[in-house]
Amino acid sequence: MTTKVVPGSLVALPDGEAVAREAANRLGNCIRNAIDTHGYATVALSGGSTPGPAYAALAENSRIDWAKVEFFFVDERAVPPDSPRSNYRMVKEALFDRVPIPAERIHRMQGEALDLAAAAREYDLEIRSRLRWSESGMAEFDVGVFGIGDDGHTASLFPGEPTVDKTDRLVVDVPAAGNREARLTLTAPVIEQMRVALVLAVGKNKQEPLERVWAASGDVHVTPARYLREVRSVIWLIDKAASGLG
């Protein structure tokens, strides 16, 4: 039997709706705590079907001073911002359109750029200019929201691809592969330096990749989501099905 070590905190909830509510509450708390401590909060958001309801629930939180929140993205597909596959569009509809966030506080990745490598460099510079830096010399987000793919990826760090090993950049472009679009993504060092990572996993198909992430030993080249184990405070918000109990 594979030895399992769950880093951080594990919160198992009845269903996806409960995961969304809990994620919204915890994300709101992280934002308020950062504002109270530093005067502003920096947040990195992921796309996908699971975080969407959490962002919609967060929009109902009237106790957040939205003018003091800087929103960034964990990754983005190489599509226009109005594409149904755009992470930005999903977050915009679920959250940005529903709360008074100044436009200059929203930092989207330019997924539609013809030169994605240049877009990655520009986003890298944008992060460097806006974030606080840790003692170890890395940009430090107050909180990030992540998912886990059925193949064990997180952000757009995919198994067996060279972007998994990128450590000299904060943001890189990810080439297209098969039916998958090219993308932009944060790199592993930025992910590891998050003050808090909220990891959302819903559905039975997440049980196996979670087991690989939580295994006491494993290879990030096979399961890139294992990088999340290094975050100083990582909270796993999963439903019964993902836990294997549903």
Side-chain angles (χ1 to χ4, degrees):
M1 180 179 294
T2 301
T3 303
K4 181 173 68 176
V5 179
V6 180
S9 302
L10 173 61
V11 182
L13 297 151
D15 52 33
E17 183 179 346
V19 168
R21 289 196 304 269
E22 185 67 17
N25 288 337
R26 289 178 180 262
L27 182 53
N29 288 339
C30 288
I31 290 171
R32 287 192 298 273
N33 289 341
I35 292 172
D36 289 344
T37 302
H38 309 292
Y40 69 103
T42 54
V43 184
L45 301 178
S46 291
S49 58
T50 301
Y55 302 150
L58 181 66
E60 300 173 5
N61 193 325
S62 60
R63 295 187 295 142
I64 293 175
D65 186 347
W66 297 105
K68 295 180 179 178
V69 188
E70 301 267 2
F71 284 102
F72 294 80
F73 283 79
V74 170
D75 63 344
E76 182 58 279
R77 299 179 178 91
V79 297
D82 59 353
S83 167
R85 290 187 54 74
S86 166
N87 289 343
Y88 167 76
R89 174 178 169 172
M90 183 277 285
V91 178
K92 180 176 182 292
E93 293 175 350
L95 177 61
F96 298 156
D97 286 347
R98 303 172 60 193
V99 295
I101 301 174
E104 65 271 17
R105 300 290 190 183
I106 299 171
H107 309 278
R108 75 174 184 88
M109 290 176 163
Q110 304 292 319
E112 75 279 17
L114 295 179
D115 187 342
L116 284 181
R121 290 192 295 270
E122 290 174 8
Y123 206 71
D124 186 302
L125 291 172
E126 192 164 3
I127 289 175
R128 291 176 188 273
S129 70
R130 293 282 187 160
L131 265 63
R132 293 179 298 276
W133 286 75
S134 69
E135 293 181 358
S136 62
M138 178 53 64
E140 185 178 69
F141 282 98
D142 290 305
V143 59
V145 179
F146 296 88
I148 293 179
D150 297 355
D151 61 355
H153 83 267
T154 196
S156 282
L157 302 177
F158 295 96
E161 297 192 4
T163 45
V164 172
D165 291 316
K166 291 290 186 181
T167 60
D168 60 340
R169 298 280 301 280
L170 307 183
V171 184
V172 295
D173 58 304
V174 182
N179 295 325
R180 192 189 76 209
E181 307 101 327
R183 302 186 181 203
L184 297 167
T185 187
L186 299 183
T187 57
V190 189
I191 293 171
E192 292 177 323
Q193 197 60 47
M194 299 271 169
R195 295 182 66 84
V196 179
L198 302 176
V199 188
L200 283 55
V202 172
K204 187 171 180 57
N205 57 332
K206 303 302 180 184
Q207 182 184 349
E208 189 276 336
L210 281 172
E211 291 289 338
R212 284 194 277 133
V213 172
W214 294 337
S217 61
D219 187 346
V220 294
H221 300 93
V222 177
T223 312
R226 287 182 62 85
Y227 278 123
L228 292 164
R229 297 172 58 91
E230 305 304 318
V231 178
R232 74 191 74 176
S233 178
V234 55
I235 303 167
W236 310 87
L237 303 173
I238 69 174
D239 69 346
K240 275 188 178 180
S243 72
L245 302 175

